[in-house]
Structures are given as C-alpha cells and as structure tokens.
Amino acid sequence: MKRIKLWAKKLKQHLFILYFAYKDGRVPLYAKLFTAGVVAYAFSPIDLIPDFIPIIGYLDDLVFVPLGIILALKMIPQAVLADCEKKANEMMKNGKPKNWVVGTIILALWALFALWFSVTVYKLVK
C-alpha cells in the first residue's frame, strides 16, 4: 500500500511539472500541445472510458494517463524539467491553487449539456 501511495504522489508531482512546462517558452510547440492535453485530461472530470464500467473503467487512469506523462516528459528539455520540478515541489508544499474560473466554466458546460439533454428527452417523449 505504501508503494501505491508513493506512486500516486510521484504521478501528481509529474502532473504539476507538466503543468508548469507547457507554459514555458523553451518547450517546442508539439510538446506544449501534447503536454497540455495530458494535463487537461488528467485533471478533467470527464474520462475517455467512464469509471462506472467494471474493470476497464479505470484503464485510462491506470494506463493512459501515466503513459501520457511518460511521453510528455520525454518531449521536454531537461533544463525545463529541472526548473519546473522546483516550481512543482513548491506548489505541493503550499497546496494546489484553486482555479474558480475553470471550475465555473466546467460547471456551466455540464449545466448546458443537462439542459440540452432535458429538452431533447422532453421533445422525444412529447
């Protein structure tokens, strides 16, 4: 169990490193795009495979996200990774910042989806 906790902490640290790396100007555009996608997917509440599907529902969390992190880390120059690791460690000590703007956007998108779904179902039933 201790190994799993250590692995999860390391995974979280790598996500924060990638978060800072995709904002760095020294990172090539292709690496920025891939890294931004990995970070966005990892922090997104929406999964490629829904978690309620038995066994394979957690496949993306256990395979795709770590694989994406590994690939993204290989695309980023070592000097950038070293700088971003310092920033990530500092962030982990101080706690993750809350981004209320992004949270509000996600909630608004879910509300719009729920409204659209409700109207569609109402039209079908009517």
Side-chain angles (χ1 to χ4, degrees):
M1 190 64 157
K2 194 173 187 176
R3 286 181 62 195
I4 293 172
K5 286 183 181 181
L6 183 62
W7 178 76
K9 185 176 180 179
K10 193 74 167 169
L11 196 68
K12 184 177 179 182
Q13 180 188 22
H14 284 146
L15 282 171
F16 286 136
I17 290 170
L18 293 177
Y19 169 76
F20 287 114
Y22 89 84
K23 293 180 170 187
D24 196 296
R26 298 173 288 176
V27 176
L29 181 61
Y30 68 91
K32 280 186 180 195
L33 294 173
F34 185 79
T35 301
V38 169
V39 171
Y41 185 77
F43 288 132
S44 172
I46 301 168
D47 287 340
L48 183 64
I49 305 168
D51 290 342
F52 64 82
I53 298 173
I55 300 170
I56 64 167
Y58 291 102
L59 185 66
D60 61 339
D61 299 326
L62 296 174
V63 176
F64 297 144
V65 172
L67 186 61
I69 290 171
I70 291 168
L71 291 173
L73 288 172
K74 289 183 184 281
M75 294 180 193
I76 299 169
Q78 289 299 316
V80 175
L81 288 176
D83 293 345
C84 293
E85 186 173 1
K86 291 175 189 171
K87 293 177 185 177
N89 288 336
E90 189 65 32
M91 180 187 277
M92 289 179 77
K93 285 181 193 173
N94 297 332
K96 184 172 69 169
K98 293 174 178 52
N99 192 335
W100 294 105
V101 174
V102 173
T104 303
I105 291 170
I106 290 171
L107 285 174
L109 288 172
W110 275 108
L112 285 172
F113 174 75
L115 178 66
W116 170 82
F117 184 77
S118 299
V119 169
T120 304
V121 169
Y122 177 76
K123 287 179 181 178
L124 288 174
V125 173
K126 189 179 175 183

